[in-house]
Amino acid sequence: MPTVLRVDGLRFFFFSDEHLPLHIHVEKADSYMRVELEMLNVTDNYKFSPSETKKVLSIIRENMDTLRGAWNEYFNNQA
């Protein structure tokens, strides 16, 4: 499960057998979130507060090119 980014104790990662749509998983301690990158749609949220969720989405926006690039590089090299 490749980790793409670490910021303020948050780990942004995807699993090695992912599927579309493009998305990222986020963990911090016992909190977990899954976010679809295209529309920044939070599809799972476990224990992230509204303010933490806002922060996570802001970090994703700021690092969108890195997150998309890592996904594309990893999965395009799997063929």
Side-chain angles (χ1 to χ4, degrees), residues 9-71:
L10 295 159
R11 182 170 76 101
F12 296 78
F13 65 98
F14 51 82
F15 293 100
S16 60
D17 61 346
E18 289 289 12
H19 54 83
L20 293 175
L22 219 74
H23 60 278
I24 196 77
H25 301 267
V26 185
E27 289 181 335
K28 182 176 184 176
D30 64 345
S31 299
Y32 169 81
M33 184 183 303
R34 180 183 179 275
V35 181
E36 292 178 351
L37 296 179
E38 186 65 30
M39 301 299 291
L40 291 179
N41 182 36
V42 177
T43 58
D44 290 303
N45 185 351
Y46 178 74
K47 292 191 176 182
F48 276 106
S49 70
S51 63
E52 291 171 321
T53 298
K54 184 176 179 179
K55 177 181 179 176
V56 167
L57 293 176
S58 176
I59 293 169
I60 290 172
R61 268 188 220 95
E62 292 169 7
N63 293 279
M64 187 65 75
D65 289 342
T66 298
L67 298 171
R68 284 183 177 158
W71 174 288

